[in-house]
Amino acid sequence: MKTVGTANIVKGEKIKGFLQVSTDTDGSPIQIPILTASGREEGPTIWVQGCVHGDEYGGAASIIRFFQELDVNELRGTFIGVPVTNIPSFKARYRTSPIDGANLNRIFPGDPKGTYSQQLAHTLMETITITSNYVIDLHSGGIGANVPFYAICDYNESDAGQKSMWLAKRAGSNVIWRFQTETDVSGTGTSQLVSKGIPAVTIECGGGNVTEEHEANFKLSIRNIMTALEMLPGEAKLQEEYTVINGADFFFTGQGGLFVPKCSVGDIVNKGDLLGEIMNLYGEVTEVLRCPTDNAYIAAIGHRYWPVHPGQLICEAIPVVNRLGKNA
């Protein structure tokens, strides 16, 4: 019988279990909840995970709700849901790990003899590789930022890279961050999976509080991708046009204080446009952030008047490189 951690995969049933990764300081096991649902007919296995960054709650909630609502009688193949991938980070309500300070989504493929986060990255990569054919990774802006609804794929000429883009176009958003694995953000789980031949798509949506719209968009993406893979009945409709973004300008604060955004997610800004300011508690502007490039898409921005530390990621502006019709 096929298993994921302690969760069995049984045709026509939903099973709950956990995946153990290392131990806590008291020696107790750190257990990651696993949800499996399997249809009666053979089909692909899709792995859907949330909370790689511990403060991105929309993905966790949406996976749980999707699992609850999923009808195994309609399902072909197997759904594996991991609502909270990074348990210590989730408990701390923080993006990075309170154990070793690592950003989990920058250290894949991990190290079985490394720190906790490195062991976690290794275990996830090994488990996904032996159990799953496709992966959806759900993210948001976390507690301190907001992001629009868009898809990310690691695009290259490999079959997995091409399939990832094919899935991204069917995920329900008309914006796709299509980045080259060798030139953009390194150490992500999706880039490592694509290099291993497993198509993977990241879905970004929301931040701060989880709204009904955020949940609906996450669940739409999961259902659309599973429909495109013929795991669920229906049609995953293409958008009439896609805005394709590539490359990334990440903006980190140089000063602490209150962040005052001067643009919104989804805006297209140009070189020199004001992105935001840092204001101290006397009301004085201590730092100004401006866009360094033309035709850039605001993919993340910090919340209005939220306190920030020096060195905190506060904005992402990604150049628009192309616009594609649905048949491109």
Side-chain angles (χ1 to χ4, degrees), residues 169-181:
K169 291 175 68 175
R170 288 155 176 82
S173 173
N174 62 0
V175 177
I176 300 174
W177 183 358
R178 183 179 69 182
F179 65 81
Q180 307 292 339
T181 56

Side-chain angles (χ1 to χ4, degrees), residues 3 7 9 38 42 54 59 64 77 86-87 102 106 123 128 130 135 146 160 176 179 208 221 237 274-275 288-289 294:
T3 62
I9 295 176
S38 190
E42 295 293 334
I64 293 168
N86 195 338
I87 290 289
R106 299 294 183 271
T123 299
I128 292 170
I130 63 175
V135 172
N146 189 36
I176 300 174
F179 65 81
S221 287
K237 294 183 179 179
L274 188 59
L275 302 176
V288 173
L289 301 173
D294 286 329

Side-chain angles (χ1 to χ4, degrees), residues 3-291:
T3 62
V4 185
T6 65
N8 295 327
I9 295 176
V10 181
K11 287 187 177 182
E13 293 188 23
K14 293 181 178 181
I15 306 291
K16 301 172 184 177
F18 63 85
L19 181 68
Q20 182 176 337
V21 180
S22 194
T23 53
D24 211 333
T25 51
D26 62 357
S28 61
I30 298 177
Q31 298 176 342
I32 300 169
I34 299 289
L35 307 171
T36 69
S38 190
R40 300 185 188 283
E41 293 187 39
E42 295 293 334
T45 296
I46 191 164
W47 176 289
V48 186
Q49 64 184 18
C51 274
V52 165
H53 296 133
D55 64 342
E56 299 178 2
Y57 311 124
S62 300
I63 291 169
I64 293 168
R65 292 303 189 197
F66 184 87
F67 176 77
Q68 291 174 332
E69 297 164 7
L70 181 60
D71 184 352
V72 292
N73 294 315
E74 293 185 340
L75 178 62
R76 177 176 166 268
T78 300
F79 169 89
I80 301 172
V82 189
V84 176
T85 307
N86 195 338
I87 290 289
S89 180
F90 172 78
K91 288 181 176 180
R93 299 181 176 89
Y94 202 65
R95 176 180 176 85
T96 55
S97 173
I99 295 177
D100 53 24
N103 180 341
L104 178 60
N105 209 34
R106 299 294 183 271
I107 61 171
F108 284 95
D111 182 348
K113 297 183 178 179
T115 65
Y116 173 77
S117 295
Q118 292 169 330
Q119 290 184 37
L120 174 59
H122 172 78
T123 299
L124 289 170
M125 195 60 54
E126 292 297 303
T127 305
I128 292 170
T129 300
I130 63 175
T131 63
S132 305
N133 307 111
Y134 302 95
V135 172
I136 306 174
D137 192 11
L138 304 184
H139 286 259
S140 76
I143 290 175
N146 189 36
V147 302
F149 175 37
Y150 67 98
I152 306 175
C153 73
D154 296 73
Y155 178 78
N156 57 40
E157 295 303 319
S158 70
D159 289 343
Q162 296 290 318
K163 190 70 171 185
S164 296
M165 182 63 180
W166 186 87
L167 292 174
K169 291 175 68 175
R170 288 155 176 82
S173 173
N174 62 0
V175 177
I176 300 174
W177 183 358
R178 183 179 69 182
F179 65 81
Q180 307 292 339
T181 56
E182 71 275 10
T183 59
D184 287 328
V185 179
S186 62
T188 65
T190 52
S191 65
Q192 290 296 319
L193 289 165
V194 169
S195 72
K196 290 177 173 289
I198 299 175
V201 175
T202 297
I203 302 299
E204 294 272 3
C205 182
N209 292 329
V210 182
T211 67
E212 291 182 0
E213 181 182 4
H214 299 156
E215 179 187 337
N217 283 333
F218 279 130
K219 291 192 297 186
L220 172 69
S221 287
I222 299 169
R223 178 165 288 277
N224 275 12
I225 288 175
M226 291 177 68
T227 299
L229 294 170
E230 299 182 349
M231 297 180 69
L232 291 173
E235 179 184 1
K237 294 183 179 179
L238 293 167
Q239 307 295 309
E240 290 299 320
E241 183 181 70
Y242 296 90
T243 297
V244 180
I245 56 180
N246 191 19
D249 287 310
F250 294 122
F251 296 88
F252 297 86
T253 54
Q255 301 289 327
L258 302 179
F259 179 66
V260 186
K262 297 296 182 179
C263 60
S264 300
V265 292
D267 284 353
I268 302 294
V269 297
N270 293 300
K271 186 175 182 179
D273 286 350
L274 188 59
L275 302 176
E277 298 173 340
I278 305 298
M279 179 178 72
N280 66 20
L281 300 187
Y282 294 101
E284 301 162 340
V285 174
T286 59
E287 184 177 8
V288 173
L289 301 173
R290 294 187 181 275
C291 186

